[in-house]
């Protein structure tokens, strides 16, 4: 990778992070997927996680599933995603 490639990569990473974070915010607002997003948020809030960290953890789960979906060229696995959200703060491997 050249130095010229680095700024674009950084911009892409920031854009991806912002997009994932916005997706999680939308899920919380819409309470979709049904109960999983809000339930996960409430559970982590009750055990003392700050909002920013909860959103980050949830975005990491979403990123994991999106990458798996793209790598396997398959549809989004909502059941797995909901299960992975409920398993937080443990992240998928």
């Amino acid at each position: 990778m050249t130095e010229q490639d680095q700024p674009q990569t950084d911009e892409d990473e920031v854009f991806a992070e912002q997009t994932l974070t916005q997706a999680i915010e939308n899920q919380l607002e819409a309470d979709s997927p049904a109960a999983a997003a809000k339930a996960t948020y409430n559970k982590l809030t009750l055990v003392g996680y700050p909002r920013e960290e909860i959103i980050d953890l949830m975005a990491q789960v979403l990123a994991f599933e999106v990458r798996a979906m793209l790598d396997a060229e398959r549809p989004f696995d909502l059941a797995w995603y909901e299960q992975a959200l409920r398993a937080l703060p443990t992240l998928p491997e």
Side-chain angles (χ1 to χ4, degrees):
M1 179 185 319
T2 67
E3 286 184 32
Q4 291 175 323
D5 294 334
Q6 190 62 38
Q8 184 63 41
T9 301
D10 290 344
E11 289 175 18
D12 291 345
E13 288 176 12
V14 167
F15 176 76
E17 183 178 330
Q18 290 172 340
T19 301
L20 289 166
T21 298
Q22 186 59 53
I24 296 301
E25 294 284 1
N26 292 345
Q27 289 176 9
L28 288 170
E29 186 176 317
D31 200 17
S32 176
K38 188 77 78 172
T40 298
Y41 180 85
N42 290 340
K43 175 186 85 169
L44 293 174
T45 298
L46 287 173
V47 295
Y49 281 82
R51 178 178 175 76
E52 185 176 296
E53 191 170 346
I54 295 168
I55 300 300
D56 180 62
L57 286 168
M58 293 174 73
Q60 287 181 59
V61 171
L62 180 57
F64 187 92
E65 173 54 17
V66 168
R67 175 161 316 276
M69 178 184 79
L70 294 173
D71 288 348
E73 297 180 8
R74 61 163 174 79
F76 190 84
D77 187 342
L78 183 59
W80 180 91
Y81 178 65
E82 289 178 340
Q83 180 181 355
L85 284 178
R86 288 187 184 102
L88 286 175
T90 302
L91 290 168
E93 295 180 14

